[in-house]
Amino acid sequence: MAKIPQKRIHKYLRHNKKFPHVWCPGCSNGIVLGAIIRAIDELKIERDDIAMVSGIGCSSRMPVYVDFNTLHSLHGRAIPFATGIKFFKPHMKVIVVTGDGDSTAIGGNHFIHAARRNIDITVVIVNNNIYGMTGGQYSPCTPHDDVATTMPYGNIDNTFDICKLAIGAGASFVGRTTAYHAIEAQQMIKKAVSHNGFSVVEVVSACPVIYGRLNKKGGAPEMMTEMKENSITLKGIDKLPADKKEGKIIRGIFIDEKRPEFNDKYQQLVDHLKEKK
Amino acid sequence: MSEKIERHREGAIIKDDLPEKMEVEINEVNTSGDYKESPVYIYYTWCKKCGICVEFCPTHCLGSKPDGSPFVEHPEKCIHCETCDRLCPDFAITGAKR
């Protein structure tokens, strides 16, 4: 062992307490966490001004490893906790990290209503297509015909499109990227954190140990190569013929609008009522 | 060992544990023992041998050992693109330039 200088990310990680982390070999959660840390480092936000909230799940273990104000809350209920923090401390940047099952199945109701409210929270959804931590049950994002431990003969349900769901519910910033495109993820998270309003970033990620094994997708490099080859940007999708569009992961920012934010509106209401007196 | 656990329980910031003083294993290839000359270094204690860095290195600078863990096979090929750094899920690899 010999001494080496610290990495940039060591500043933001609880590296002396919790590492190596619990995620499986090749899990994309670490890549997403790295992207979040780099985005925050570029934005130069103080560590004390960030609150990272999560529910339960593989990706929701991220707050354990970072040195911000962190809150590890109930399954699917990360967004209500985050709403409370944002409401009480409006200057704070609140980041919610959830998985696909956590945010769209168990916390689906909270997710759509926070989007409707347009409160300034950044939600990073790590979509690995399965409930990894609890043992491989199928989630709303498991693709059709894919195998999960509770769907051993193939999934017969249809899949949620998280971005369309968020746009429909009223989120003012929605983007999708993959874990392979780490620089794009970093830039997108950076934009989402600085956006004033409810912002959703869906990161399509790989779960090589549970989802990959059940569906014979190979190891982590193979799954990430598939992401690289099977995804296309928002501009590129228009040029493709219609028969090739199916099954492609569309990357890019779908919506980026300026809409009145909940805390601002609330403050306006308070000021208005004070004037009336 | 028990002393270490006790320190963790306290939860306070201990002066010895500041990031500047963190110690990690130096890259094996770097025989001179000077990390500043190797383009990439790897923390073998954190590495889980998933193979992502070896697969996605654009110049095939990294190679894998028989047990699957990476090492710097061709140090002269490194272009400091940070791909391995960004794609490592375990924070176990970094470009030495920073």
Side-chain angles (χ1 to χ4, degrees), chain B residues 29-43:
Chain B
V29 166
N30 198 351
T31 46
S32 67
D34 185 9
Y35 58 83
K36 283 169 189 166
E37 282 174 16
S38 176
V40 164
Y41 48 78
I42 301 152
Y43 311 164

Side-chain angles (χ1 to χ4, degrees), chain B residues 12-26:
Chain B
I13 300 165
I14 300 144
K15 274 186 181 174
D16 312 2
D17 292 350
L18 284 176
E20 288 81 10
K21 289 195 174 178
M22 200 189 69
E23 288 183 357
V24 283
E25 208 174 290
I26 269 185

